[in-house]
Amino acid sequence: MWRVVVSLLLAWSFQTALSQLECEQVDRCSCEMTDGSGRINLHALAHPNNLYRIDHSIFTFLYSPCGAMKNVNVTGECNDATSVCQLFKEGGPGYNYGGADSARFSVDPDTKQVRISYKHNANNITRVSNVNLVCDPGQREKALFELEWAEPLLLNFKLTSVCACPGGCMAPAVTCNMKDSCTCDMSDGTGAINLHPLDNPWAPLRSSHLQPDLGRNFTYYYNPCSGFSFTNTMCTNVSTCQVDTEAQLFYALGDVAPQPNPDVNQENGSVTFHYVNTEDTGRHSDIRLICDPDQHVPEFTSLGEPSENFYVMALKTRCACPGLCKDDPIARKARYLEWKASNSR
């Protein structure tokens, strides 16, 4: 008898595991349904400069899926990292009910309703907002954003759209459109990747790398925006340079400006700048930008020469994150004066 009971329990557990539908997070506004029905993709709804808005009772609610809201002219907690904001209609501070980076997908085990949740912690207070994603193939023009109910520190909304249907709304490929030699605008509205604060032609970023087949070290240099020059070498007015430290040979790996179409990884949003040295025989290089909001000091790493005359480097910095960095001419002048002072001693 006990064997029958155990078998039934195992069968029930197995069936329960199979029935636990999930939506596995891909990024902060898309997830993949585990039943194979497809991906819920909200990228097409990202309009951080044109927010979803609800005027309700004494409050106004603002929502920016995918990316943090931009240019929110309010006081209080609703800054450039916020996805959900609550405002008093008559003025006063805004309250952050969830940052863009806090977005998490889940599925209600009873209703099978997919929702995306946000939270914000400040002064030992946690505010939470939930957005239930309602699939409606007929809601194609614009998503319908509604308040379901609210209580202190908890907001519940409903977002109705074809994009809430698995496989129903595949956004176009995200691109980053070059504005100048070191700034590009993300087409999904998340902001600009701006490397201007890293521009320092007097002290370019550097990294050493051991080339296994040659058995010796090379040093790689990189400076975005305005490039740099090593006097009386091939590395004059370039963005990237390889130096054979043993033989003291210099090889230019890229002009100051990158190629006009950076690559954008469609899974994680990372951007790669491509550089070509038009004055040499085919040498070119890639700079892989790695977004890390906490990386205030840039980390530059050479990854070597994966194929002949092609060089790869990685740059981890908060300035590789859309919208986090802006040009600062005053800081740039300060870097120059610091360099000038150090060279006059």
Side-chain angles (χ1 to χ4, degrees), residues 182 195-202 223-227 326-339:
C182 61
L195 302 185
H196 277 285
L198 309 184
D199 182 23
N200 191 348
W202 313 284
N223 184 58
C225 306
S226 63
K326 298 179 181 179
D327 192 9
D328 189 344
I330 295 176
R332 188 174 188 273
K333 184 177 180 180
R335 290 196 297 273
Y336 168 72
L337 293 175
E338 182 181 356
W339 169 83

Side-chain angles (χ1 to χ4, degrees), residues 151-330:
E151 60 184 49
L153 306 181
L154 177 62
L155 302 175
N156 273 268
F157 302 96
K158 179 170 66 174
L159 185 70
T160 305
S161 170
V162 64
C163 294
C165 304
C169 191
M170 301 306 293
V174 178
T175 60
C176 202
N177 304 309
M178 297 302 299
K179 294 176 61 180
D180 57 32
S181 61
C182 61
T183 308
C184 67
D185 273 330
M186 299 297 289
S187 64
D188 60 1
T190 52
I193 291 176
N194 190 329
L195 302 185
H196 277 285
L198 309 184
D199 182 23
N200 191 348
W202 313 284
L205 299 167
R206 59 181 291 174
S207 173
S208 294
H209 180 81
L210 175 66
Q211 194 74 18
D213 55 336
L214 298 177
R216 63 177 186 266
N217 281 309
F218 290 83
T219 301
Y220 293 83
Y221 295 86
Y222 174 60
N223 184 58
C225 306
S226 63
F228 63 96
S229 296
F230 290 140
T231 307
N232 298 324
T233 72
M234 294 294 294
C235 291
T236 300
N237 198 28
V238 297
S239 61
T240 49
C241 177
Q242 179 199 49
V243 179
D244 184 334
T245 50
E246 183 177 314
Q248 280 299 294
L249 296 174
F250 293 73
Y251 302 98
L253 305 182
D255 296 341
V256 172
Q259 296 297 291
N261 298 307
D263 280 344
V264 179
N265 186 307
Q266 300 302 308
E267 293 297 324
N268 60 26
S270 63
V271 173
T272 298
F273 283 175
H274 305 293
Y275 293 88
V276 174
N277 178 30
T278 55
E279 300 298 324
D280 202 349
T281 56
R283 284 192 172 88
H284 57 113
S285 57
D286 278 1
I287 303 293
R288 296 175 180 172
L289 304 180
I290 302 172
C291 165
D292 185 341
D294 298 321
Q295 192 76 36
H296 291 267
V297 177
E299 181 181 295
F300 178 61
T301 306
S302 168
L303 303 178
E305 185 181 1
S307 60
E308 186 177 4
N309 290 334
F310 173 52
Y311 306 84
V312 179
M313 289 145 272
L315 177 61
K316 182 191 288 187
T317 170
R318 71 190 310 270
C319 292
C321 305
L324 286 194
C325 287
K326 298 179 181 179
D327 192 9
D328 189 344
I330 295 176

